[in-house]
Amino acid sequence: MKVAVIVAVYKDLEALQLIIESLLNQTQVPDEIIVAEDAQHENIKEYLHSLNNEKIIHISHEDLGWRKEKILNDAIKTATSEYLIFIDGDCVPYKNFVKAQVDLSEKNTALCGRRSEPGPYFSTKIRNHELSIEAFERNYLFNYFQLKKDKTKHLDEGVIFSPDSFIFKLIHKFGRKNSHIVGCNWSCHKENLLTINGFDEDFTLPTTGEDTDVERRLRHFGVKMKSCRNASGMVHLYHKSIFNREIAATTEALMETKKDIFVCKNGIEKL
């Protein structure tokens, strides 16, 4: 099974470099790394070109505001792989990230992951290459109290087990029952996304359109949600949040108007 990792990125070259480095050194290196840039910044183009790596595919479009759904649709069309893994351009995957996704993958199933969100202290050390992502993962429990002091969000998501391990199976037998897609860490077979015509490009603000709406429509066609939390881990690098209640309310209201539409009109294909 060919696997593509689709990285949705906007401006943050520093984080993108860390992500590409991680993806090229995975225990299972993806067949395609599609950098889906919701803008056109010369420094990102130059960096990716300098790598001269045939696995890396760069697509972009003019910066006209939030058009993440559109660039993700372009990435789906570009991908030749059967299985697609979606991550955000400020989230650095752990070393076994891709392998865990593949090992847990099933037909007609979307894998739902999460991320650990350290605060400024650890995020700065990772960005400055003072702390590698491998060392961050390896010493996660050892640094537990420092991570708490750094106001790390979703602290439990940084603890990782093999999908085959007894502990992972135990966690998912008695917990993690209500799984939902979060746009920064999820995956499914390409054919499932083609069934719903991909992402709805009517969403032009963060949240909902990149995950909740997609999940709603996938579920309608019988795609089940399965947790890959505590197996397919990643680190969300700290930055000031752009999300607020007003944005959430606007996108939720838009989705409500589409509650009976499961194949979006303004998606991969324009229907």
Side-chain angles (χ1 to χ4, degrees), residues 208-248:
T208 307
E210 57 185 302
D211 40 43
T212 309
D213 178 68
V214 173
E215 177 183 330
R216 174 186 70 84
R217 293 185 287 117
L218 285 172
R219 283 184 183 272
H220 175 78
F221 287 99
V223 177
K224 69 176 183 178
M225 302 295 128
K226 176 182 175 182
S227 175
C228 61
R229 295 165 68 180
N230 299 112
S232 189
M234 57 167 43
V235 178
H236 178 278
L237 299 173
Y238 174 82
H239 60 79
K240 290 184 178 179
S241 176
I242 62 172
F243 305 136
N244 57 50
R245 291 182 180 179
E246 183 180 351
I247 288 174

Side-chain angles (χ1 to χ4, degrees), residues 73-232:
N73 281 338
D74 291 346
I76 294 168
K77 287 188 286 186
T78 300
T80 63
S81 297
E82 304 124 81
Y83 198 74
L84 308 181
I85 302 172
F86 295 87
I87 68 174
D88 279 349
D90 53 9
C91 296
V92 187
Y94 282 178
K95 195 171 184 65
N96 290 322
F97 175 83
V98 173
K99 186 176 188 305
Q101 295 264 358
V102 172
D103 287 350
L104 290 167
S105 65
E106 298 177 21
K107 282 287 186 182
N108 296 316
T109 300
L111 293 182
C112 307
R114 294 292 187 273
R115 71 283 186 216
S116 171
E117 295 189 48
Y121 175 76
F122 279 99
S123 294
T124 300
K125 287 179 76 69
I126 293 170
R127 282 182 177 274
N128 292 342
H129 298 270
E130 297 169 16
L131 178 65
S132 70
I133 197 68
E134 292 90 346
F136 179 85
E137 177 185 358
R138 185 172 60 249
N139 298 315
Y140 195 81
L141 290 176
F142 179 80
N143 289 326
Y144 178 81
F145 292 105
Q146 272 190 289
L147 286 161
K148 285 197 74 172
K149 186 178 179 182
D150 198 30
K151 297 182 178 179
T152 299
K153 298 177 183 177
H154 311 296
L155 193 57
D156 62 321
E157 301 294 345
V159 182
I160 299 300
F161 305 98
S162 166
D164 296 327
S165 69
F166 173 75
I167 296 177
F168 178 81
K169 291 176 181 177
L170 198 65
I171 290 171
H172 288 264
K173 182 177 181 180
F174 295 103
R176 308 302 197 200
K177 297 296 184 183
N178 297 317
S179 299
H180 299 284
I181 293 174
V182 174
C184 68
N185 181 355
W186 75 283
S187 63
C188 72
H189 285 83
K190 180 176 178 177
E191 63 184 1
N192 294 132
L193 284 168
L194 295 179
T195 297
I196 63 170
N197 199 25
F199 295 85
D200 189 338
E201 296 176 21
D202 287 349
F203 289 91
T204 55
L205 289 171
T207 76
T208 307
E210 57 185 302
D211 40 43
T212 309
D213 178 68
V214 173
E215 177 183 330
R216 174 186 70 84
R217 293 185 287 117
L218 285 172
R219 283 184 183 272
H220 175 78
F221 287 99
V223 177
K224 69 176 183 178
M225 302 295 128
K226 176 182 175 182
S227 175
C228 61
R229 295 165 68 180
N230 299 112
S232 189

